[in-house]
């Protein structure tokens, strides 16, 4: 039984790595385009750094289990991320759509790390500290997005009003 949990944990860690790669690509694209929203840009850049560390943690975890991450899977997913950002780029309310998408993405990541923590326990593998740290970073980012949703919307409104004037 522990072996099955270990197998699922390896799959889950690989999926999480691809997920973080996707997050990295999304935030790289977005941070290049959020100069009108310096607070958002700064938080994106901070979370981008955290995301790079999260990928390293996942790589370490996979290595400790004698596995590696799948570059092919990472590439396929990041292509999707780029297409999603491009679609938002063409819309005037890009900042809002990206904020909603990031909100959803952070909650997806939170769920993924909670699931990995459950598998870790069953597999008897000691990756909890790393996974918990990443989980808390995702939770802080999700909270930040939630806390700033109103301000970003009102900022967007005043940009639009200035353009219309
Ligand atoms: Fe994240």
């Amino acid at each position: 039984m522990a072996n099955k949990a270990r197998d699922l944990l390896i799959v889950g860690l690989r999926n999480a790595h691809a997920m973080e790669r996707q997050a990295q690509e999304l935030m790289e694209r977005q941070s290049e385009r959020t100069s009108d929203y310096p607070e958002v840009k700064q938080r994106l850049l901070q979370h981008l750094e955290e995301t790079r560390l999260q990928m390293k943690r996942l790589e370490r975890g996979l290595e400790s289990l004698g596995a590696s991450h799948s570059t092919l899977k990472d590439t396929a997913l990041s292509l999707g991320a780029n297409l999603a950002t491009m679609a938002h780029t063409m819309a005037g309310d890009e900042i809002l759509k990206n904020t909603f998408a990031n909100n959803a993405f952070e909650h997806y990541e939170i769920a993924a790390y909670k699931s990995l923590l459950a598998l870790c326990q069953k597999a008897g593998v000691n990756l909890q500290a790393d996974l918990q740290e990443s989980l808390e970073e995702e939770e802080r980012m999700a909270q930040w997005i939630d806390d700033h949703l109103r301000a970003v919307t009102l900022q967007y409104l005043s940009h639009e009003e200035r353009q219309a004037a």
Side-chain angles (χ1 to χ4, degrees), residues 47 106 109 138:
H47 196 53
E106 293 308 325
E109 291 178 314
E138 306 301 16

Side-chain angles (χ1 to χ4, degrees), residues 20 23 27 47 51 54 105-106 109 137-138 141:
E20 293 300 356
M27 286 185 292
H47 196 53
T51 299
Q54 289 166 358
F105 207 110
E106 293 308 325
E109 291 178 314
E137 286 165 355
E138 306 301 16
M141 182 61 176

Side-chain angles (χ1 to χ4, degrees), residues 76-141:
L77 272 174
S78 57
L79 197 67
N82 282 328
L83 290 176
T85 316
M86 268 166 63
H88 292 167
T89 300
M90 283 177 247
D93 56 353
E94 176 187 359
I95 184 71
L96 293 187
K97 288 187 173 130
N98 285 338
T99 301
F100 306 158
N102 293 346
N103 181 59
F105 207 110
E106 293 308 325
H107 285 282
Y108 184 98
E109 291 178 314
I110 288 168
Y113 281 112
K114 284 183 177 171
S115 171
L116 287 173
L117 279 163
L119 287 173
C120 251
Q121 202 183 14
K122 279 284 171 193
V125 170
N126 187 22
L127 297 175
Q128 277 91 339
D130 268 3
L131 293 172
Q132 186 65 36
E133 198 173 353
S134 297
L135 171 63
E136 286 169 17
E137 286 165 355
E138 306 301 16
E139 285 173 336
R140 281 196 294 272
M141 182 61 176

